[in-house]
Amino acid sequence: MGIKLFREPELYEPIMFAGWPGIGNIGLIAVNTLKDILKAEEFGEIESWDFFYPKKVLIRNGLLRDLEFPTNKFYYRRMEKKDLIFFIGEEQSAEGLRMYASGEKAYQMANLVIDIALKFGCKRVYTSGACVSLTHHQLKPRVCAVISSEKLKDEVENYPNTVLMSELEEGGEGDGTITGLNGLLLAVAKKRGLEGMCLMGEIPDWLSRAAFPYPKASKSVLEVFAVILGMSIDLSFLDEMGEQIEEIVESFYAKFPLEMKEKYDQRKVTAQGKPGMITVQAQIFIDERFKKRGEEDGERPS
């Protein structure tokens, strides 16, 4: 178990962006998109066999060749203002049947990521994920920030369309949790002397279990990334993906019962205090729709 470096680039006080799959793949899309736009180069990886089960067995010409594991790779990009390190994981290390990072292996994974951050002189780590919120899908998703120190508050106030978790009205006193490696990595970073911030794109609560991405929230996060880096980023390609997903969401929304739709539409003008029957009914509606689609499609050979 450990880190394999293919090269050791010379970087000046880089900042790190880390992303994994999660709700709506909001954080993964945001971090991976930034990495691709900047044409970051791979320079290392965390060896996977102690953290994950193989995804598949590779067979060529009838012979078993190898086991394929989820990848956990590091990339770098030298910039004029700030050098960057990216960490992209294909899965979160979890125990049992849990979807998101948990247990000793997840803690080991987080420390290995921070090992690289410290080795190359990082001062700050950004993670990104989903902020499940009582919002309406027709509203522009906000970015919810969680910070590791009070001194970062002023900085967050200058970010566009961004609120601290403590400012979310539905959050009461601003208490909450960040599931998975997004929160765990920040905690490990703070413990080891690094600043940390999690920037989460807002997604309506009833879509949090949907089996499709939510790119419009990823776009909101990327707009904040652009401000952090002091650069302009063309994100128009995300609009096309977002429009496709929006058609699916609108098709669900159009079939809501009238009373349910009227209550849900109140979210456009009034902050909601806590989840209610709208959330439960809408999630059941989506679950049943995808279950029916799966039964109709059936299994097909790859």
Side-chain angles (χ1 to χ4, degrees):
M1 178 182 71
I3 297 167
K4 181 187 293 184
L5 294 180
F6 313 128
R7 65 178 80 172
E8 296 193 21
E10 293 185 8
L11 303 173
Y12 178 72
E13 295 187 353
I15 58 177
M16 175 180 279
F17 292 91
W20 296 269
I23 294 171
N25 274 344
I26 293 170
L28 179 63
I29 292 173
V31 176
N32 204 42
T33 297
L34 183 62
K35 182 262 293 181
D36 289 345
I37 288 175
L38 296 177
K39 296 180 171 57
E41 299 179 52
E42 183 181 343
F43 72 96
E45 66 180 0
I46 294 176
E47 296 173 320
S48 295
W49 49 78
D50 278 335
F51 293 100
F52 303 102
Y53 289 109
K55 293 196 298 183
K56 58 186 176 182
V57 176
L58 300 178
I59 300 174
R60 294 186 181 91
N61 297 324
L63 295 177
L64 190 153
R65 295 295 184 183
D66 203 354
L67 299 175
E68 183 175 309
F69 290 87
T71 62
N72 305 276
K73 295 186 176 182
F74 294 98
Y75 304 81
Y76 77 96
R77 179 68 160 87
R78 295 190 185 95
M79 305 283 287
E80 183 177 340
K81 295 181 179 179
K82 301 175 182 178
D83 290 339
L84 308 177
I85 292 176
F86 295 92
F87 176 75
I88 308 289
E90 284 190 340
E91 289 186 19
Q92 296 197 33
S93 180
E95 293 181 351
L97 298 176
R98 295 185 179 182
M99 183 177 298
Y100 302 119
S102 61
E104 182 180 352
K105 293 296 185 182
Y107 186 65
Q108 292 173 351
M109 172 75 76
N111 271 287
L112 288 175
V113 175
I114 298 303
D115 284 346
I116 290 296
L118 291 171
K119 176 180 177 64
F120 288 92
C122 283
K123 302 298 183 183
R124 183 181 296 184
V125 175
Y126 291 95
T127 64
S128 182
C131 177
V132 179
S133 172
L134 303 182
T135 187
H136 197 287
H137 70 278
Q138 294 175 352
L139 298 176
K140 178 181 175 68
R142 296 174 295 179
V143 176
C144 176
V146 174
I147 54 180
S148 63
S149 66
E150 288 286 329
K151 69 178 184 178
L152 296 178
K153 277 188 175 181
D154 290 341
E155 188 173 322
V156 171
E157 289 176 358
N158 293 320
Y159 294 165
N161 190 37
T162 303
V163 295
L164 288 166
M165 181 175 280
S166 58
E167 296 172 357
L168 289 176
E169 290 187 34
E170 65 264 31
E173 297 299 320
D175 296 334
T177 59
I178 308 176
T179 57
L181 279 166
N182 289 316
L184 181 58
L185 190 68
L186 286 193
V188 172
K190 181 174 182 177
K191 182 178 180 181
R192 298 181 64 179
L194 298 180
E195 293 180 342
M197 185 181 301
C198 184
L199 297 170
M200 299 172 285
E202 204 172 26
I203 183 172
D205 50 349
W206 64 280
L207 291 175
S208 64
R209 285 168 26 187
F212 47 75
Y214 201 61
K216 64 189 295 185
S218 301
K219 182 178 178 181
S220 291
V221 173
L222 278 161
E223 289 168 349
V224 177
F225 285 171
V227 171
I228 291 170
L229 297 177
M231 61 185 296
S232 177
I233 301 176
D234 181 6
L235 301 174
S236 57
F237 69 95
L238 278 179
D239 293 333
E240 182 177 349
M241 186 193 305
E243 288 170 2
Q244 295 173 356
I245 298 300
E246 202 68 9
E247 288 181 9
I248 298 173
V249 175
E250 284 290 338
S251 70
F252 292 140
Y253 172 66
K255 295 178 181 178
F256 283 3
L258 180 60
E259 182 179 357
M260 178 178 165
K261 184 180 291 186
E262 289 176 346
K263 289 183 178 179
Y264 175 60
D265 284 346
Q266 293 175 10
R267 296 183 176 191
K268 293 182 181 181
V269 294
T270 306
Q272 306 296 301
K274 59 183 179 179
M277 285 305 297
I278 295 174
T279 304
V280 176
Q281 292 168 347
Q283 286 178 336
I284 291 173
F285 186 85
I286 288 182
D287 289 346
E288 290 179 345
R289 178 72 178 270
F290 277 97
K291 180 180 179 182
K292 181 179 179 181
R293 182 179 299 176
E295 291 172 348
E296 290 174 349
D297 291 346
E299 289 188 329
R300 295 182 174 87
S302 57

